[in-house]
Amino acid sequence: MFNYPRFLVSIKNFIINSSLLQKKASTQTLGLARIFSWVSFIIIIIFSIFLSVFIATNTRSSLINSQESYALLMAENINKQIFRRFTLPVAYASGRVTLSEPDQYRLLDEVVNSLMHGLRIEAIRIYDANEKVAYSTNKNELQNVELATIGVKNVFKLKAHSFEIISTMSFLQALFTPNLPEETFTLRTVYPLTIDYDLAPFKTLDSDEQPVLGALEIMQDVTDLYKIAIRSQWTILIGFTFSILILFMLLQIIARLAERIISERIKQNKQLENELHQNEKLASMGRMVSSIAHEIRNPLGIIKSSSEYLLNRNSMDNTGKQLVGAIYDESKRLSNTVSDFLDYAKPRKAGEESINLTEISQKVWAFLQSSFLEKNIETYFYVPEKLMIKGDSDLMYRAIYNVFVNAEQAMGQNGTISIYGKEEFDYISIKFVDSGEGFKEDCSKYLDPFYTTKDTGTGLGLPIVQSIIKAHNGEIKLYNDENGGATIEFILPSLKDNTTNMNNSKTVNKNDNNGLVMQGV
């Protein structure tokens, strides 16, 4: 017989057991999710800490490597300047260098102080062969033998430079120290003082014959670089933690966000490294430009105002007015040149006027004609009557002027300069070919700022020309002619109204003892 109460009890027990099983399963699932979330959170936190340390370490290493490269360039420059401005003159005048003599020590101190001006250098020491301090910016260290490090010993044994970071605390301690005091981290650079082998009398010396005159030690405060690395590490760590707290339940989104942040950090590090390399090239130019602007602009203003005053006088004959007018025009052009030099890193925008490169080239040649005649340099123009482009005539005048002057300096005496021009499709080409020795090294190096093969050159001539051509949406090419001379070619967008054909118009301008001879060919 069927027992309804027992059946109902069984159904009730089944429902209760099912509910308990579901609740237990839900609890277990929730527990697993929480455990997974917390484990993921901890793993990501640990990974974030590790990643911040890794990126900060790479950032610090990159910054220190860049600083070491800069310190090496600075040490090489100081070595050359000390040899040229102190060692060589003193040895020539006195027969030997003896820093114990007050006059020699004072001269070296003046040279060193002039080189330190504007640079963040804490101290400079020079050690003699006995590892004694022969010179120091701190005179209390003179004749001290306890300051010599292994790097100093290696200079005299191995003729090798070295770098060393001196710190008053560990990086981990610095990580938790706000407002790091100056000189917490100092870069010590030890460099051998040698003869300047760029000078002609010493170029033939073998490596075994290269003596070490002393050991140069430069101390630089690099605490700011470590501050950048510390800020980078804390920024990464805090940024990751904040993102995880907000998007705790959306782990996949957090992962994607972290990946994007990492890629951005890497891109920023690469960009920072590129900017550091570029800043190294432009740092010296900034100091040089300011001094040039100060030294040139004042006398230029006097020349310009004086010539303008003479032009307004009626007592001068036509020849005098032409000469004074030329002085006024060229002083005005030189003033613009100084301004362009200041704007090298950000050249001014080219104008939109129609200009004829043939006419500008002949104006430059006419201005330099007397100098070419003195050196017996002949000039040949194989160009159309018109090579029309849109741009700035003053900028193009300066670019072509620099090319002519470079060719003149490269040839010296008894040479030829040939100018070839043509128009093809939507661009024009104008080439300047000299009969000199040509480019001796990789041509691309000559477009780098401050690279020069001249003893008195600044290395900014061709880079300025390149910036002018780029401002006109053009391209500059450097290569050697088949006959050995140097060739500089400008490729620029042409102006469509240039109707003169290369085949029916060609002019040869030639210098001889009687002056300019124009021959139609």
Side-chain angles (χ1 to χ4, degrees):
M1 187 174 187
F2 191 74
N3 192 340
Y4 285 99
R6 185 176 293 180
F7 174 76
L8 293 174
V9 171
S10 299
I11 295 295
K12 180 180 179 181
N13 291 335
F14 175 78
I15 295 173
I16 293 174
N17 291 333
S18 298
S19 299
L20 291 174
L21 291 174
Q22 290 179 357
K23 187 179 293 186
K24 185 177 180 181
S26 300
T27 304
Q28 290 178 348
T29 303
L30 183 60
L32 290 175
R34 289 177 178 175
I35 292 173
F36 177 75
S37 299
W38 281 103
V39 169
S40 301
F41 175 77
I42 294 172
I43 291 175
I44 294 175
I45 286 291
I46 295 174
F47 179 75
S48 300
I49 296 173
F50 172 78
L51 189 61
S52 64
V53 172
F54 176 75
I55 295 179
T57 301
N58 285 344
T59 302
R60 185 173 75 254
S61 177
S62 176
L63 293 172
I64 294 301
N65 288 338
S66 299
Q67 184 66 28
E68 288 178 354
S69 300
Y70 175 72
L72 184 59
L73 291 175
M74 185 170 55
E76 292 175 354
N77 179 60
I78 292 176
N79 175 46
K80 290 183 178 181
Q81 294 299 322
I82 288 177
F83 182 78
R84 294 185 180 187
R85 296 168 58 185
F86 171 76
T87 306
L88 196 60
V90 169
Y92 180 80
S94 303
R96 63 175 183 173
V97 176
T98 307
L99 291 179
S100 58
E101 296 183 7
D103 291 339
Q104 293 189 17
Y105 188 94
R106 183 170 57 255
L107 177 59
L108 177 58
D109 191 58
E110 292 175 356
V111 171
V112 172
N113 286 330
S114 66
L115 294 174
M116 290 176 61
H117 181 70
L119 301 176
R120 297 192 62 181
I121 298 177
E122 303 301 323
I124 288 182
R125 301 188 189 101
I126 297 178
Y127 296 86
D128 59 17
N130 296 323
E131 299 178 359
K132 292 182 180 180
V133 178
Y135 171 83
S136 175
T137 51
N138 182 2
K139 293 185 178 181
N140 294 329
E141 297 174 351
L142 294 178
Q143 302 302 317
N144 193 323
V145 295
E146 298 178 355
L147 295 176
T149 61
I150 298 178
V152 174
K153 301 177 186 297
N154 290 336
V155 163
F156 294 102
K157 292 181 180 179
L158 306 176
K159 301 181 181 180
H161 64 271
S162 62
F163 303 101
E164 180 185 0
I165 296 293
I166 304 172
S167 60
T168 58
M169 66 176 67
S170 65
F171 181 76
L172 183 61
Q173 184 179 357
L175 195 63
F176 297 94
T177 303
N179 300 324
L180 284 176
E182 294 184 357
E183 300 184 20
T184 302
F185 296 93
T186 305
L187 175 63
R188 185 207 306 269
T189 304
V190 183
Y191 188 84
L193 283 176
T194 60
I195 295 172
D196 185 3
Y197 298 103
D198 292 336
L199 297 177
F202 307 105
K203 287 184 177 180
T204 58
L205 291 177
D206 296 331
S207 59
D208 295 333
E209 300 176 352
Q210 299 174 359
V212 175
L213 305 180
L216 174 66
E217 185 180 85
I218 303 174
M219 307 293 289
Q220 292 177 276
D221 185 10
V222 293
T223 306
D224 289 340
L225 299 181
Y226 279 80
K227 288 181 179 179
I228 294 174
I230 291 172
R231 283 197 300 268
S232 174
Q233 184 163 349
W234 279 115
T235 300
I236 297 170
L237 182 59
I238 295 173
F240 271 114
T241 304
F242 183 75
S243 300
I244 293 167
L245 291 174
I246 293 179
L247 305 174
F248 182 72
M249 301 302 295
L250 305 173
L251 298 178
Q252 295 299 323
I253 298 178
I254 291 177
R256 293 177 184 176
L257 179 62
E259 184 178 355
R260 185 164 62 247
I261 291 175
I262 293 171
S263 63
E264 289 176 357
R265 294 296 181 187
I266 294 175
K267 187 184 296 184
Q268 290 176 0
N269 288 340
K270 289 183 179 179
Q271 183 179 359
L272 177 60
E273 184 177 358
N274 293 334
E275 290 176 355
L276 286 173
H277 287 302
Q278 186 65 17
N279 288 337
E280 287 176 4
K281 294 180 181 179
L282 298 179
S284 298
M285 187 179 71
R287 294 188 295 271
M288 181 177 64
V289 165
S290 61
S291 62
I292 288 177
H294 177 73
E295 296 295 335
I296 294 182
R297 276 185 168 174
N298 291 337
L300 265 182
I302 297 174
I303 294 172
K304 182 179 176 182
S305 60
S306 299
S307 59
E308 186 176 12
Y309 171 77
L310 292 174
L311 281 174
N312 294 329
R313 297 182 62 182
N314 297 324
S315 59
M316 299 179 62
D317 55 14
N318 291 333
T319 302
K321 285 186 176 181
Q322 291 178 356
L323 292 174
V324 175
I327 293 173
Y328 175 79
D329 292 338
E330 293 307 319
S331 63
K332 182 178 179 181
R333 188 185 305 279
L334 185 55
S335 179
N336 293 333
T337 299
V338 172
S339 298
D340 292 341
F341 195 74
L342 287 168
D343 295 334
Y344 166 70
K346 187 180 180 181
R348 78 186 193 196
K349 185 179 180 181
E352 294 293 330
E353 60 178 319
S354 299
I355 58 177
N356 186 356
L357 291 185
T358 300
E359 181 180 347
I360 293 176
S361 300
Q362 291 177 344
K363 283 183 178 179
V364 175
W365 170 80
F367 180 73
L368 297 173
Q369 180 184 2
S370 60
S371 176
F372 285 3
L373 287 174
E374 291 179 0
K375 298 181 179 180
N376 195 25
I377 296 176
E378 297 182 345
T379 308
Y380 299 91
F381 283 81
Y382 302 96
V383 293
E385 292 181 357
K386 291 184 179 180
L387 284 174
M388 305 299 297
I389 66 169
K390 280 189 177 182
D392 190 306
S393 59
D394 288 337
L395 287 178
M396 290 307 303
Y397 182 99
R398 182 181 175 193
I400 296 174
Y401 177 86
N402 282 344
V403 173
F404 268 94
V405 171
N406 280 346
E408 177 187 4
Q409 294 174 351
M411 292 184 294
Q413 298 285 342
N414 304 323
T416 60
I417 302 176
S418 301
I419 298 91
Y420 301 89
K422 63 180 180 179
E423 180 181 10
E424 293 185 2
F425 303 106
D426 57 349
Y427 71 91
I428 64 101
S429 168
I430 182 168
K431 295 191 297 185
F432 304 86
V433 183
D434 63 51
S435 60
E437 298 180 355
F439 299 109
K440 299 179 181 179
E441 300 182 36
D442 182 9
C443 294
S444 62
K445 292 183 178 180
Y446 290 83
L447 297 176
D448 292 337
F450 307 113
Y451 178 83
T452 179
T453 57
K454 305 171 187 175
D455 291 337
T456 58
T458 62
L460 286 173
L462 287 178
I464 291 176
V465 173
Q466 183 187 35
S467 67
I468 293 174
I469 299 302
K470 284 186 176 180
H472 287 78
N473 299 318
E475 179 185 1
I476 182 173
K477 293 183 178 180
L478 276 61
Y479 52 89
N480 287 323
D481 184 63
E482 58 184 8
N483 296 322
T487 299
I488 299 178
E489 181 179 6
F490 298 164
I491 300 176
L492 296 159
S494 66
L495 200 61
K496 294 303 182 182
D497 62 353
N498 184 8
T499 58
T500 305
N501 193 297
M502 179 67 190
N503 295 327
N504 58 26
S505 177
K506 183 168 67 174
T507 303
V508 177
N509 300 341
K510 181 178 180 181
N511 296 331
D512 59 14
N513 295 330
N514 297 321
L516 173 64
V517 178
M518 304 294 294
Q519 298 178 345
V521 180

